[in-house]
């Protein structure tokens, strides 16, 4: 089954002075896919992701996200994506429902829809008792689950997750990935970076960036076969051992 | 624009939930309005006097008593000689020396001229010169009284009658209070928006905002409006204190002041936003804001008249928005000027407000 293409990247490059952070990368991501975007620290994944989200202007190359050109239509791109950054990004001096209401409002949802959808969400997360709790009082795992729920609250076509499970305990990580699967099933494309290789195994396809290039791109099974190893961890170690950029 | 409602809701809730900011918005005006007018006075009081009385007569004693009775002088000591008095000046025990010559009384009675020598320590220039001029006034007064007492025909005297318009008693407070209100608005409405945005940058929430489709104008408006409202509250509090504590009400209309304030707060907040757009850290933003606040305070004519500055500085002050607002405040409070009298100043403020806020929107980059 050929999926509809929602992200199309063509020779995308970003230079900072003489340093080429992202060096002419190309790939496509299909609708509803869970796309793992892997790489060592400093390989250029966050830079590439920031370009796709319309936070950073590419030096050269083209990309379309949700059918809009990131160079010229970045505001339309922003209407169609959700984003959860490495740095925790909800307002910690607002409470749970206020954060949901704020971001949903920004994306243009109606106040009544926000209220009903908030009730459904909190019920599903088993979070109703924390409705009026300030974000800063919540444990990290809960914050991350909430941040993800907020990022997909307005039904974006694509959600970008930048190391969403960093510092989260294994049980919560597991729940987090269940939420990701559920979102993917509802048709939201997931674009996720991670340093956990067990999570890489959960992805439909994985790209591994080394020194600004994409060194490998395929499904986890194909990659393992290609490198004749048993785990994604070994695939990663194999590719990254040749990297020139240090930490 | 529908999103503006949600953003304003967020800003106001965050502000009210801050443990410190709402209290500061009340404490600042109280502190500045209750304490500063008393300490920023240019009146010179408590000048330490050292009087060398070489005459030891009843007339010289009378003069000494008269000086001691005034508010302006403290009679420290009566040293034996002029050199002894100079030593006191060197030790900082006296600011002004007055030497009464021998035969002072005798000369007065006989109607011949007599001289009193006044020497002032001019290390603190204004204290020295004001001190000796006050003293001169007292001695003149004394002279007149003497002539009245002695039945001798008073010498023809030229009476100089000075009438101070607008601030009859030259009360420095009346001059300073309106300007202090401006200082408050500069501090609160300039500093807080700058810190607010930089804080969002440091926490990472700014990036989350930049990845949403909020328009730049909406975002900037949501940051401006709360401080605009806060500025009005602070200003109103100041009016109440000025009236309640100092009995000071504007000669002109409050509407004129509020109209000017509406523009001025926009300028200050927009200015704070520009700085925050260019600052990556709180430290950087604070440092830059404080630099400008100092320039605003010292070059806007708040403490020293712009007309006494060198020509180039007076030119620079034409580009300092607080200058216009301070002038409007003083004119309305003291002279009762109205909009028509000051339309040029309003125009200047309006121009600044437009330019500053356009720059604020343009310098806010959602993408780098």
């Amino acid at each position: 089954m050929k999926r509809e293409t929602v992200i199309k990247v063509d020779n995308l490059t970003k230079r900072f002075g003489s340093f080429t952070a992202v060096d002419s990368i190309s790939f496509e991501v299909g609708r509803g896919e869970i796309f793992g975007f892997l790489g060592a620290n400093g390989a250029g994944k966050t830079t590439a992701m920031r370009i796709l989200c319309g936070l950073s202007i590419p030096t050269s190359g083209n990309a379309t996200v949700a059918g809009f050109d990131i160079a010229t239509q970045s505001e339309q791109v922003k209407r169609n994506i959700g984003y959860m950054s490495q740095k925790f990004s909800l307002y910690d001096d607002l409470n749970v429902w206020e954060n949901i209401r704020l971001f949903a409002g920004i994306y243009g949802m109606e106040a009544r829809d926000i209220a009903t959808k908030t009730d459904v969400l909190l019920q599903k997360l088993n979070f109703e008792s924390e409705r009026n709790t300030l974000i800063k009082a919540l444990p990290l795992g809960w914050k991350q689950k909430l941040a993800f729920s907020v990022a997909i609250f307005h039904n974006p076509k694509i959600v970008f997750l930048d190391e969403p499970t960093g510092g989260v305990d294994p049980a919560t990580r597991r729940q987090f990935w269940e939420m990701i699967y559920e979102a993917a099933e509802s048709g939201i494309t997931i674009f996720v970076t991670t340093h956990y290789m067990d999570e890489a195994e959960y992805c439909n396809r994985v790209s591994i960036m080394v020194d600004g290039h994409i060194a490998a791109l395929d499904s986890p099974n194909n990659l393992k076969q290609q490198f004749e190893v048993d785990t994604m961890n070994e695939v990663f170690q194999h590719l990254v051992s040749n990297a020139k950029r240090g930490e | 624009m529908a999103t503006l409602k949600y953003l304003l809701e967020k800003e106001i809730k965050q502000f009210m939930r801050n443990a410190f900011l709402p209290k500061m918005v009340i404490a600042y005006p109280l502190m500045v309005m209750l304490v500063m007018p008393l300490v920023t006075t240019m009146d010179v009081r408590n000048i330490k006097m050292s009087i060398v009385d070489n005459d030891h007569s009843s007339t010289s004693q009378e003069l000494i008593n008269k000086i001691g009775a005034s508010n302006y002088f403290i009679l420290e000591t009566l040293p034996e000689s002029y050199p002894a008095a100079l030593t006191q000046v060197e030790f900082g025990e006296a600011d002004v020396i007055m030497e009464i010559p021998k035969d002072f009384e005798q000369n007065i009675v006989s109607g011949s001229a007599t001289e009193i020598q006044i020497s002032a320590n001019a290390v603190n220039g204004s204290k020295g010169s004001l001190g000796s001029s006050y003293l001169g006034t007292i001695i003149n007064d004394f002279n007149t009284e003497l002539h009245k007492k002695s039945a001798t025909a008073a010498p023809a005297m030229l009476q100089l009658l000075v009438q101070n318009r607008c601030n009859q008693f030259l009360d420095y407070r009346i001059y300073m209070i309106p300007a202090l209100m401006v200082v408050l608005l500069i501090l609160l409405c300039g500093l807080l928006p700058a810190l607010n945005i930089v804080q969002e940058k440091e926490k990472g929430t700014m990036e989350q905002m930049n990845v949403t489709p909020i328009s730049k104008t909406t975002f900037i408006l949501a940051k401006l409006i709360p401080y605009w409202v806060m500025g009005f509250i602070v200003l109103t509090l100041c009016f109440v204190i000025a009236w309640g504590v100092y009995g000071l009400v504007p000669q002109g209309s409050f509407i004129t002041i509020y109209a000017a304030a509406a523009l001025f707060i926009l300028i200050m907040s927009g200015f704070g936003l520009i700085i925050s757009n260019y600052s990556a850290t709180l430290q950087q933003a604070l440092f830059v804001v404080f630099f400008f606040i100092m320039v605003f305070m010292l070059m806007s004519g708040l403490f020293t008249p712009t007309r006494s500055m060198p020509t180039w500085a007076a030119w620079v002050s034409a580009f300092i928005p607080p200058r216009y607002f301070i002038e409007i405040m003083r004119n309305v409070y003291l002279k009762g000027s109205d909009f028509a009298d000051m339309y040029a100043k309003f125009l200047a403020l309006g121009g600044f407000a437009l330019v500053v806020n356009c720059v604020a929107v343009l310098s806010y980059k959602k993408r780098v």
Side-chain angles (χ1 to χ4, degrees):
Chain A
M1 179 189 84
K2 174 75 179 130
R3 296 174 194 259
E4 172 197 348
T5 304
V6 289
I7 302 177
K8 189 171 183 332
V9 177
D10 190 15
N11 287 318
L12 198 67
T13 301
K14 176 81 181 183
R15 283 191 206 94
F16 298 103
S18 62
F19 175 72
T20 308
V22 176
D23 194 356
S24 191
I25 60 171
S26 303
F27 60 88
E28 287 184 6
V29 181
R31 181 162 185 265
E33 194 173 6
I34 301 177
F35 187 80
F37 202 57
L38 275 53
N41 292 331
K45 19 179 231 313
T46 298
T47 309
M49 189 181 228
R50 286 173 55 88
I51 295 173
L52 295 181
C53 293
L55 285 172
S56 178
I57 301 167
T59 313
S60 64
N62 300 310
T64 56
V65 172
F68 296 103
D69 187 336
I70 51 149
T72 55
Q73 300 171 298
S74 68
E75 293 304 300
Q76 280 100 316
V77 168
K78 286 172 184 176
R79 245 174 258 286
N80 288 288
I81 62 169
Y83 175 69
M84 180 179 165
S85 78
Q86 214 167 350
K87 259 186 175 176
F88 181 72
S89 49
L90 294 178
Y91 285 95
D92 60 9
D93 46 0
L94 294 182
N95 65 32
V96 171
W97 74 265
E98 286 165 347
N99 266 290
I100 298 174
R101 180 178 152 84
L102 169 66
F103 284 101
I106 288 174
Y107 284 101
M109 287 178 69
E110 293 294 328
R112 197 184 301 159
D113 295 345
I114 297 174
T116 41
K117 209 174 164 188
T118 303
D119 290 338
V120 174
L121 173 70
L122 293 181
Q123 221 157 39
K124 204 178 77 185
L125 291 175
N126 227 342
F127 235 47
E128 277 162 311
S129 54
E130 308 297 335
R131 189 187 180 87
N132 293 313
T133 309
L134 291 185
I135 295 294
K136 61 180 158 202
L138 293 176
L140 181 69
W142 289 27
K143 282 186 195 175
Q144 297 300 82
K145 282 197 275 185
L146 190 68
F148 177 70
S149 306
V150 169
I152 59 168
F153 196 79
H154 59 285
N155 267 325
K157 290 205 172 77
I158 305 151
V159 63
F160 290 88
L161 309 171
D162 194 1
E163 291 178 31
T165 54
V168 173
D169 70 70
T172 312
R173 275 210 290 143
R174 171 97 213 159
Q175 293 167 1
F176 195 90
W177 274 88
E178 279 164 12
M179 291 170 70
I180 289 180
Y181 268 93
E182 200 181 315
E185 270 160 32
S186 75
I188 298 175
T189 307
I190 314 283
F191 188 101
V192 57
T193 74
T194 180
H195 284 305
Y196 296 105
M197 287 308 130
D198 57 331
E199 293 185 353
E201 310 263 5
Y202 300 149
C203 299
N204 299 130
R205 280 195 307 149
V206 165
S207 90
I208 299 178
M209 270 187 95
V210 177
D211 294 345
H213 299 277
I214 291 185
L217 198 173
D218 214 328
S219 68
N221 278 336
N222 290 350
L223 285 175
K224 281 184 276 189
Q225 274 173 21
Q226 186 189 334
F227 292 94
E228 295 170 342
V229 290
D230 296 328
T231 63
M232 277 305 292
N233 191 24
E234 287 166 284
V235 174
F236 189 81
Q237 299 288 356
H238 181 83
L239 286 166
V240 169
S241 61
N242 301 323
K244 290 177 195 69
R245 285 184 200 164
E247 295 255 327
Chain B
M1 276 299 144
T3 52
L4 185 61
K5 178 182 84 176
Y6 293 98
L7 286 170
L8 281 176
E9 210 177 278
K10 154 193 174 278
E11 295 297 335
I12 292 164
K13 276 179 182 160
Q14 286 185 306
F15 183 84
M16 296 312 287
R17 261 174 217 168
N18 190 300
F20 181 67
L21 289 180
K23 288 177 199 151
M24 195 172 89
V25 167
I26 303 300
Y28 248 52
L30 284 176
M31 159 78 193
V32 170
M33 291 300 292
L34 293 178
V35 178
M36 296 306 159
L38 306 178
V39 298
T40 53
T41 173
M42 289 282 193
D43 284 351
V44 174
R45 283 177 196 274
N46 303 331
I47 302 165
K48 287 182 271 185
M49 278 293 297
S50 185
I51 301 177
V52 184
D53 185 0
N54 294 321
D55 196 39
H56 298 289
S57 62
S58 63
T59 312
S60 69
Q61 194 54 48
E62 221 173 295
L63 176 59
I64 293 169
N65 288 344
K66 188 170 168 66
I67 292 166
S70 92
N71 284 328
Y72 297 102
F73 299 100
I74 301 174
L75 263 185
E76 281 289 305
T77 46
L78 298 172
E80 285 304 308
S81 64
Y82 187 73
L86 268 184
T87 320
Q88 287 186 328
V89 170
E90 277 165 22
F91 282 105
E93 288 160 11
D95 299 311
V96 177
I97 307 171
M98 183 174 87
E99 189 178 23
I100 302 173
K102 210 169 173 342
D103 308 327
F104 174 67
E105 187 177 51
Q106 205 184 334
N107 283 339
I108 287 175
V109 171
S110 70
S112 54
T114 182
E115 278 181 342
I116 291 176
Q117 183 188 326
I118 299 171
S119 331
N121 175 10
V123 170
N124 181 337
S126 63
K127 202 172 187 181
S129 68
L130 278 172
S132 36
S133 99
Y134 288 163
L135 200 55
T137 315
I138 294 178
I139 295 168
N140 267 340
D141 233 30
F142 180 72
N143 196 19
T144 321
E145 279 170 29
L146 271 183
H147 280 291
K148 273 185 194 154
K149 244 190 260 169
S150 59
T152 58
M157 274 220 279
L158 187 66
Q159 284 270 354
L160 196 63
L161 190 67
V162 180
Q163 192 183 17
N164 295 306
R165 303 295 299 265
C166 301
N167 182 358
Q168 203 185 343
F169 301 106
L170 289 180
D171 187 343
Y172 198 70
R173 276 182 281 177
I174 296 178
Y175 181 70
M176 282 312 290
I177 288 170
L180 285 170
M181 295 179 188
V182 182
V183 172
L184 263 174
L185 291 183
I186 295 177
L187 273 174
L188 290 174
C189 301
L191 192 57
L192 292 181
L195 299 189
N196 179 303
I197 288 204
V198 180
Q199 201 176 24
E200 288 221 23
K201 281 189 186 176
E202 285 195 334
K203 280 192 173 170
T205 46
M206 190 70 179
E207 189 167 271
Q208 196 67 39
M209 283 289 144
N210 288 344
V211 84
T212 67
I214 308 178
S215 83
K216 290 202 224 178
T217 318
T218 312
F219 184 80
I220 293 290
L221 273 179
K223 293 289 182 195
L224 277 179
I225 293 172
Y227 295 103
W228 205 59
V229 174
M230 190 190 77
F232 276 104
I233 295 172
V234 167
L235 195 61
T236 308
L237 189 61
C238 288
F239 290 155
V240 173
I241 297 174
W243 166 75
V245 178
Y246 304 102
L248 192 61
V249 281
Q251 299 295 309
S253 128
F254 275 117
I255 296 167
T256 318
I257 297 182
Y258 276 118
L263 292 171
F264 182 69
I265 299 167
L266 269 185
I267 298 172
M268 281 301 113
S269 304
F271 163 78
L273 292 179
I274 294 175
I275 289 179
S276 69
N277 282 339
Y278 286 108
S279 304
T281 62
L282 214 57
Q283 201 177 23
Q284 189 186 342
L286 261 179
F287 197 61
V288 177
V289 170
F290 273 118
F291 169 75
F292 278 104
I293 285 182
M294 199 176 83
V295 173
F296 286 171
M297 297 252 211
L298 297 181
M299 290 192 74
S300 61
L302 177 62
F303 297 111
T304 47
T306 46
R307 285 200 196 94
S308 326
M309 294 177 188
T311 322
W312 63 265
W315 268 99
V316 172
S317 81
F319 294 95
I320 295 181
R323 174 182 160 175
Y324 300 97
F325 188 49
I326 289 172
E327 285 174 1
I328 291 174
M329 285 286 267
R330 281 183 175 150
N331 284 350
V332 175
Y333 252 96
L334 300 178
K335 277 204 297 203
S337 307
D338 60 19
F339 182 78
D341 302 325
M342 303 182 292
Y343 72 94
K345 297 187 208 304
F346 272 89
L347 227 66
L349 283 181
F352 278 117
L354 194 70
V355 171
V356 165
N357 287 292
C358 283
V359 174
V361 171
L362 290 176
S363 63
Y364 165 43
K365 297 258 186 296
K366 286 182 82 179
R367 284 214 291 183
V368 285

